[in-house]
Amino acid sequence: MTRIKSVGVTAIAVATALTLTSCGSGGGEQVAADKKQTLTVWAMGEEGTRLQAVTEEFTKQHPNITVKVTPVGWDVVHQKLVSAIAAKKLPDMAQMGSTMMGEFIALDALEPVDTKTFKKADFFPATWDSNVQDGTAYGVPWYADTRVLYYRTDLAKKAGITKAPTTWKEQQDLAAAFKKAGAEWGTDLQPSSTGAWQSWVQYLYSAGGELIGKDGKPALDSPEAIRAFTQWGSYFKKGLAKKTFTPGYDVTKDFGSGKRPMFQSGPWMVANIEQQQPQVKGKYEVVPVPADKTSTSWVGGASLVTFKDSPRKAAAEELTKYLTTAKTQAKWYEVDKALPANKAAWNEPALKNGGDSLATFKTSLDTAKAIPPLEKWNEFAAAIEGALAKISQGEDPTATAKALQKTAEGLV
């Protein structure tokens, strides 16, 4: 249920890349932005197939720069990047998923961002923060996604509930009402496997917790984390969510049939529901994640990075500027339905007049928190997913959190 795919990391590949990377080389002699050149860009998933067309206007403005976009699948991009670092055959630029940033910062592969050209204030805070390590930014936010709550308003009304849930209690009361009224499950939560962490982090952030504390250590056994684990696990304990995970499961069909009339996910689900379950148009609502201390989701998405060894950094900066302007971001939303990371883009007609669901995502982005750029994020996320699997099956959240904390401390 996310655009960003987590891909495993092999210790040998990372060690090899670290050994072979020319740290601090700066890319040798640089080509000026006004010289004739070809700028190579790797882009992932659907973005990879659509970006070339969006760069056509850029090349009209910069006729000396030819942009060559290579689409790369999310399932293979990690290994291709690590191999390219080792072989010194990286592109000039790439789209990079938010949870990938920490590893490639650690590999010393990324050029720091010029903060005189790109300013944090222009972007949603969490989209910028996910690229920052030790005070230095290594990527410019391109698009964002965040988690919100989808629920069937027609079925809620039949179950006796006429207002959107705004608190954890109201959310669980609604799940219980759905179940009592005949839904197979009151809500959909992923109990285990890759990506399960995405169903839990908004509970942690809304409880006031953090993945990494101010001391730089994991904070997965904090009172807030335990509260989040307990609340998340209560849906399984009370029989409101299914305990078993089906690989490849897509909630869209069951949302349309009413079997699972509530779930949390990102912005792409709006289009999925409209295309696959048109009969529920006007019968569901998209609202911010319900609050504990606050209503706080997390930010995913992708940033634009320039590789340190590129000799075409000036041209890369020009393309990055173009792709992150308000007008281009609004155009990209129309092409890809990806939420702009540039705040000013939300004043463009395509987004300003986009309806209630877009307003909800804007509200969520204003308050969302970043996933910290951890070098071993994949292992860190897998450890959380292992803990969630245990909690979904009834194991004690407190004891599980304490064991998780010990594991996570070895990864940070």
Side-chain angles (χ1 to χ4, degrees):
M1 294 170 64
T2 178
R3 290 173 177 263
I4 307 303
K5 306 294 185 186
S6 296
V7 184
V9 183
T10 65
I12 293 175
V14 173
T16 301
L18 279 168
T19 300
L20 297 180
T21 300
S22 177
C23 299
S25 66
E29 186 175 346
Q30 291 294 307
V31 179
D34 59 356
K35 299 297 182 183
K36 190 171 182 63
Q37 60 198 289
T38 297
L39 186 69
T40 56
V41 184
W42 286 5
M44 293 62 170
E46 292 298 322
E47 289 77 32
T49 63
R50 296 169 179 163
L51 181 57
Q52 187 74 60
V54 175
T55 64
E56 289 177 1
E57 182 60 33
F58 171 80
T59 55
K60 290 178 183 177
Q61 298 174 17
H62 300 80
N64 56 300
I65 302 175
T66 299
V67 179
K68 180 182 178 182
V69 178
T70 299
V72 183
W74 280 113
D75 57 338
V76 297
V77 65
H78 175 269
Q79 188 55 52
K80 283 182 72 70
L81 283 169
V82 170
S83 298
I85 290 172
K88 299 186 186 296
K89 291 185 178 180
L90 283 164
D92 299 300
M93 287 178 60
Q95 165 195 1
M96 187 161 286
S98 58
T99 58
M100 297 169 63
M101 288 296 300
E103 179 184 353
F104 289 94
I105 292 171
L107 287 171
D108 197 27
L110 308 181
E111 180 72 9
V113 171
D114 179 358
T115 52
K116 292 181 180 179
T117 300
F118 303 99
K119 301 183 184 303
K120 178 178 179 178
D122 291 338
F123 302 92
F124 290 103
T127 63
W128 184 273
D129 292 343
S130 64
N131 298 323
V132 176
Q133 184 75 271
D134 297 329
T136 300
Y138 292 90
V140 180
W142 184 26
Y143 69 76
D145 67 57
T146 187
R147 297 302 181 269
V148 296
L149 184 72
Y150 291 73
Y151 80 101
R152 288 282 299 271
T153 51
D154 59 335
L155 300 181
K157 187 175 182 180
K158 288 180 181 179
I161 296 178
T162 57
K163 64 183 288 289
T166 60
T167 67
W168 280 5
K169 182 180 184 304
E170 290 174 355
Q171 181 183 5
Q172 193 159 97
D173 287 348
L174 178 56
F178 279 142
K179 184 82 182 284
K180 187 177 180 180
E184 184 177 17
W185 302 102
T187 192
D188 181 70
L189 283 177
Q190 186 178 333
S192 60
S193 192
T194 301
W197 65 270
Q198 298 176 41
S199 73
W200 172 76
V201 173
Q202 54 267 36
Y203 287 95
L204 173 69
Y205 285 169
S206 294
E210 301 284 352
L211 291 168
I212 304 295
K214 292 181 180 179
D215 59 359
K217 297 179 181 179
L220 298 174
D221 65 347
S222 67
E224 295 83 5
I226 292 171
R227 180 169 171 76
F229 280 127
T230 301
Q231 179 66 17
W232 181 89
S234 68
Y235 284 93
F236 302 95
K237 186 176 182 180
K238 295 179 180 180
L240 299 174
K242 188 177 181 181
K243 291 183 176 182
T244 55
F245 172 68
T246 303
Y249 174 75
D250 180 356
V251 73
T252 309
K253 183 177 179 180
D254 285 345
F255 185 70
S257 70
K259 288 183 177 181
R260 301 192 195 188
M262 184 164 61
F263 65 93
Q264 296 178 66
S265 189
W268 59 90
M269 289 301 293
V270 173
N272 288 358
I273 292 169
E274 288 177 356
Q275 293 166 11
Q276 300 174 34
Q277 303 296 320
Q279 77 278 7
V280 302
K281 183 177 181 180
K283 298 177 182 179
Y284 75 97
E285 194 170 347
V286 181
V287 298
V289 295
D292 182 34
K293 289 183 179 179
T294 61
S295 169
T296 306
S297 189
W298 56 274
V299 160
S303 293
L304 298 169
V305 300
T306 299
F307 291 103
K308 182 173 284 189
D309 286 344
S310 169
R312 288 168 285 276
K313 293 175 188 173
E317 183 174 276
E318 290 300 317
L319 179 57
T320 301
K321 283 194 291 186
Y322 172 77
L323 292 175
T324 56
T325 62
K327 288 192 178 298
T328 306
Q329 291 250 293
K331 180 179 180 180
W332 183 244
Y333 169 75
E334 293 182 292
V335 170
D336 194 62
K337 297 306 177 187
L339 301 181
N342 184 324
K343 292 185 290 186
W346 291 78
N347 293 321
E348 296 291 321
L351 288 110
K352 194 172 184 179
N353 304 322
D356 292 342
S357 62
L358 268 179
T360 295
F361 285 109
K362 169 69 164 55
T363 298
S364 182
L365 285 169
D366 281 331
T367 58
K369 288 185 177 180
I371 299 297
L374 300 178
E375 178 182 356
K376 296 183 179 180
W377 168 256
N378 289 324
E379 295 96 324
F380 191 90
I384 294 173
E385 289 159 1
L388 292 173
K390 293 176 181 178
I391 292 169
S392 70
Q393 300 305 310
E395 294 200 19
D396 177 56
T398 300
T400 303
K402 292 187 181 301
L404 171 62
Q405 175 70 11
K406 291 181 179 178
T407 299
E409 285 174 353
L411 298 173
V412 177

